[in-house]
Amino acid sequence: MTAQTERSLVIVKPDGYRRGLTGEVLRRIEAKGYTLAALQVTEATREQLAEHYAEHEGKPFYEPLVEFMSSGPVVVAVIEGNDCIKGFRSLAGATNPTEAAPGSIRGDLGRDWGLKVQQNIVHGSDSTESAEREIGIWFPNL
Ligand code: IDP
Ligand code: MG
């Protein structure tokens, strides 16, 4: 148990939004027992995405990733609960939706579409440092 309730930054990516899966993703988060601390529908700016995905700059999928994430609205959420960073990564499943376990968001709802970037429905922070950094990008007033 951590003394302070942990927060994670979750994004329903443009594929999830377009496919009408926002409610399903939020349902799974709430059914797991995490709470929503902030929620918004927005169109990501190039600047936000460059900051958010800075660690991937220079990788072959970087430009396709930024283009994909700019291709339509996203739903950005801050979720709360003990160990929710690890917990949401587990709900999301592996990065490659073909390999993501059935039962996970990516495993149940995602597939490979033969594109340069994997469209895998959700993003979730991978550490407490990333979570705080990412929350600052998407919710500067939180
Ligand atoms: P994560 O979202 O599971 O944390 P990251 O390695 O942080 O995965 O990559 C960010 C996003 O970039 C992934 O969610 C996926 O959309 C895309 N991506 C990552 N690795 C690849 C790859 O090898 N090929 C195509 N797309 C990738
Ligand atoms: Mg990541």
Side-chain angles (χ1 to χ4, degrees), residues 15-42:
D15 59 329
Y17 181 87
R18 258 195 297 275
R19 292 177 55 203
L21 297 173
T22 302
E24 174 64 15
V25 170
L26 298 180
R27 188 194 67 75
R28 288 176 184 226
I29 289 167
E30 290 193 308
K32 179 77 173 171
Y34 300 137
T35 50
L36 293 167
L39 186 65
Q40 64 167 330
V41 183
T42 187

Side-chain angles (χ1 to χ4, degrees), residues 4-19:
Q4 202 189 351
T5 303
E6 193 170 78
R7 302 194 300 176
S8 184
L9 192 281
V10 169
I11 303 178
V12 179
K13 297 182 177 184
D15 59 329
Y17 181 87
R18 258 195 297 275
R19 292 177 55 203

Side-chain angles (χ1 to χ4, degrees), residues 43-117:
E43 302 215 17
T45 65
R46 184 97 201 172
E47 292 68 34
Q48 283 173 315
L49 293 170
E51 265 196 83
H52 181 85
Y53 283 126
E55 64 172 309
H56 296 306
E57 209 189 327
K59 294 182 185 169
F61 60 84
Y62 177 77
E63 279 302 327
L65 176 61
V66 170
E67 202 172 303
F68 161 54
M69 291 297 292
S70 314
S71 67
V74 293
V75 177
V76 193
V78 176
I79 67 167
E80 270 183 6
N82 295 92
D83 226 2
C84 70
I85 293 173
K86 195 172 164 191
F88 181 77
R89 299 275 297 180
S90 176
L91 285 184
T95 304
N96 180 340
T98 301
E99 289 167 7
S104 67
I105 292 167
R106 290 162 169 174
D108 285 349
L109 310 172
R111 56 163 281 195
D112 193 313
W113 299 93
L115 303 169
K116 285 183 185 149
V117 66

